[in-house]
């Protein structure tokens, strides 16, 4: 029974790690998208300023 409790604890830790990994991936995707959009907007604004 003690082994089962230990395995359950390990599985809970694994599940929490997977959730954290997924959140980190989502944050990275958002950061990349923000950087791309920021660059695109800055580039467009720079082009509009040229005579």
């Amino acid at each position: 029974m003690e082994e089962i409790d230990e395995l359950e604890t390990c599985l809970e830790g694994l599940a929490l790690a997977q959730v954290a990994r997924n959140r980190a991936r989502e944050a990275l995707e958002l950061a990349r998208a923000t950087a791309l959009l920021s660059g695109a907007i800055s580039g467009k604004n720079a082009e509009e300023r040229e005579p």
Side-chain angles (χ1 to χ4, degrees), residues 8-30:
E8 286 177 345
T9 300
C10 290
L11 286 173
E12 289 173 3
L14 179 60
L16 291 173
Q18 289 173 336
V19 168
R21 182 194 64 200
N22 290 343
R23 287 182 180 164
R25 282 185 180 168
E26 290 173 5
L28 180 59
E29 288 176 15
L30 286 172

Side-chain angles (χ1 to χ4, degrees), residues 23-50:
R23 287 182 180 164
R25 282 185 180 168
E26 290 173 5
L28 180 59
E29 288 176 15
L30 286 172
R32 284 180 179 160
T34 300
L36 286 173
L37 288 173
S38 177
I41 291 169
S42 296
K44 183 176 181 182
N45 288 343
E47 290 173 7
E48 290 174 355
R49 290 185 196 136
E50 293 178 11

